[in-house]
Amino acid sequence: MTLDVLTFGCRLNAVESEAMRARAEADGLTDAVLVNTCAVTAEAVRQARQAIRRARRERPDAPIIVTGCAAQTEAQTFAAMPEVTRVLGNALKTAPGAYRLSGQRLAVSDIFAAPVELATARPLKDRVRAHVAVQTGCDHRCTFCVIPYGRGNSRSVPAGEVVAQVRALVDQGVKEVVLTGVDLTSWGADLPGAPPLGRLVQRILKLVPDLARLRLSSIDAAEIDAALLDAFATSERLMPYLHLSLQHGDDLMLKRMKRRHLRADALALVARVRAVRPDVAFGADLIAGFPTESEAAFSNLLSLVDEADLAFVHTFPYSPRPGTPAARMPQLPPQTIKARAAALRQTGDRALDRHLRAQVGRTVQALVENGGQARAPDHSPIAFEGAPGALARLVLTGAEGARLTATPAVGGNPHAG
């Protein structure tokens, strides 16, 4: 008997999948397939449905339980699949008793009214870092996004609980912790005193001195508070990498997306962080083919990659999500969206190559991962064989493909813990 967990989408889903496994085991479920879905794109939903059908062919007798954002927003879609045993809403995915199969087949509640317990991080034997969920939900309503309807309003984990989780992970040997959430920079807005994310970061760095590396997942380009900027300026333990939710580089498109920043705001944020942390690298989520996107607007999107000097570009071909305002806007032809996404990926590939080549000759302290790879502080991947979990001083010697090459620095020990 095997309990398989299939995860789609974001890092928060990955954290919750481990909590789902633990909850299912506690509920006595040991032979099943749990599917944690993503609703960000139509492709993510298609892949989940495909995986469900494949799981039924491979395990014809195992219960298949579907949860996650797509199960919340498109519950009837999954409930109508004959392969599915049960559909759980996002509020129930880690709730006690959720995986006892005597319950109703469709258990999806109002995500805005239901209490949601964020998953507690736990280190995995084959991982060298841990993701800690500190926030879920979103209070904003971008015109292309269905996630608020899958996650509900923004809710934060109190700072004391976050610090306790991080300390427990460090005590178990974790070297790097990544703070994650749906809208990470909104952390604290619903807590007493509305502390900003920067205060949480400073508190972790102060109260968990044995934590070697702290990293942030994706943040909103409209928000970076003074305390967070100060943490970047003063702590080398806060990794110099920010992945920005930019989405576009054209002001009209940003307004039609109902984003809270314009192109100049994004460039100003990048400049502010670089001014205090020159070694910082930036990544970004960008959407190609948004409704009404003209050639000029798309050109502005491409040029943003170079003007902001982005290193890592995550390209999303636009796909309409049910019930969103953007789905009612004039759509571009599918072939145009596909071509523009390909062009944006090519621009991103060139940006990554440029970034990696600029790192050659530097000496960095890299975290050795599994699979013959290490990760530089600025998130650059390095081809390197060493003891997973070790912090190794490496001299970056070249760039091959999408990774750097390296050798141990003089006096550097790739097996040091």
Side-chain angles (χ1 to χ4, degrees):
M1 293 190 295
T2 305
L3 188 62
D4 292 325
V5 183
L6 308 180
T7 305
F8 298 85
C10 64
R11 291 172 175 173
L12 181 57
N13 257 14
V15 174
E16 291 173 339
S17 285
E18 290 308 312
M20 286 165 49
R21 182 189 299 277
R23 174 53 59 195
E25 291 172 349
D27 285 349
L29 185 63
T30 57
D31 184 31
V33 179
L34 311 183
V35 185
N36 195 5
T37 63
C38 172
V40 167
T41 64
E43 176 62 16
V45 177
R46 186 195 69 80
Q47 289 178 358
R49 288 169 55 83
Q50 185 180 54
I52 290 167
R53 288 190 286 267
R54 183 169 56 249
R56 175 55 69 217
R57 290 193 300 270
E58 294 173 351
R59 302 189 61 187
D61 299 322
I64 297 179
I65 302 175
V66 182
T67 186
C69 290
Q72 180 71 38
T73 61
E74 301 182 38
Q76 294 297 335
T77 296
F78 291 97
M81 294 182 69
E83 298 88 354
V84 173
T85 306
R86 195 174 186 203
V87 179
L88 293 178
N90 248 346
L92 293 175
K93 69 199 307 183
T94 61
Y99 297 97
R100 295 183 186 134
L101 292 177
S102 58
Q104 63 196 94
R105 185 170 186 270
L106 180 62
V108 179
S109 59
D110 180 358
I111 195 65
F112 293 100
V116 177
E117 178 182 351
L118 268 72
T120 299
R122 64 175 186 171
L124 304 177
K125 292 180 180 179
D126 60 343
R127 301 285 175 88
V128 300
R129 65 176 55 81
H131 292 82
V132 175
V134 303
Q135 183 274 340
T136 190
C138 185
D139 292 336
H140 312 300
R141 296 295 181 267
C142 297
T143 60
F144 57 84
C145 187
V146 73
I147 295 305
Y149 306 100
R151 289 279 181 177
N153 292 326
S154 179
R155 280 149 291 181
S156 309
V157 178
E161 294 181 24
V162 175
V163 170
Q165 283 194 50
V166 173
R167 184 179 290 119
L169 290 166
V170 171
D171 288 345
Q172 295 173 68
V174 169
K175 295 292 194 306
E176 180 175 295
V177 165
V178 184
L179 302 185
T180 189
V182 173
D183 182 26
L184 188 59
T185 45
S186 71
W187 178 89
D190 57 321
L191 298 177
L197 177 65
R199 294 298 181 195
L200 175 64
V201 168
Q202 290 177 331
R203 189 167 178 179
I204 292 170
L205 292 169
K206 178 181 179 181
L207 297 180
V208 194
D210 292 334
L211 173 64
R213 295 157 66 115
L214 180 63
R215 195 181 290 279
L216 304 180
S217 63
S218 179
I219 71 167
D220 195 319
E223 296 176 305
I224 183 167
D225 60 87
L228 184 55
L229 197 64
D230 182 66
F232 273 109
T234 59
S235 178
E236 292 187 356
R237 293 160 58 212
L238 180 58
M239 295 295 96
Y241 175 69
L242 281 177
H243 194 88
L244 305 175
S245 178
L246 294 181
Q247 309 306 349
H248 216 281
D250 181 83
D251 284 350
L252 180 58
M253 293 298 98
L254 289 167
K255 290 177 181 178
R256 287 178 176 170
M257 289 177 170
K258 205 174 178 181
R259 300 295 293 165
R260 295 178 300 140
H261 70 276
L262 298 176
R263 180 189 183 98
D265 300 321
L267 294 172
L269 181 146
V270 167
R272 286 172 63 202
V273 179
R274 281 203 173 103
V276 302
R277 193 72 179 269
D279 61 336
V280 71
F282 291 93
D285 293 332
L286 298 173
I287 297 175
F290 187 76
T292 76
E293 181 187 72
S294 65
E295 289 285 355
F298 182 62
S299 178
N300 285 337
L301 172 59
L302 293 180
S303 66
L304 179 69
V305 175
D306 292 333
E307 191 170 349
D309 193 18
L310 300 177
F312 303 90
V313 175
H314 191 179
T315 297
F316 289 89
Y318 172 77
S319 62
R321 307 307 298 127
T324 59
R328 299 190 294 272
M329 297 179 185
Q331 307 290 303
L332 299 185
Q335 61 270 26
T336 300
I337 297 174
K338 183 177 180 180
R340 290 183 179 178
L344 181 56
R345 289 192 189 97
Q346 290 176 355
T347 300
D349 290 343
R350 290 192 295 270
L352 176 59
D353 182 71
R354 180 177 64 242
H355 170 75
L356 295 179
R357 293 185 184 283
Q359 309 311 307
V360 176
R362 294 180 56 208
T363 299
V364 300
Q365 186 184 59
L367 179 64
V368 181
E369 301 177 344
N370 296 280
Q373 178 165 291
R375 188 75 61 171
D378 71 357
H379 195 61
S380 297
I382 305 167
F384 184 76
E385 293 284 352
L391 291 169
R393 288 187 69 247
L394 303 177
V395 177
L396 305 178
T397 57
E400 294 181 0
R403 295 196 297 182
L404 290 160
T405 57
T407 58
V410 175
N413 180 3
H415 302 289

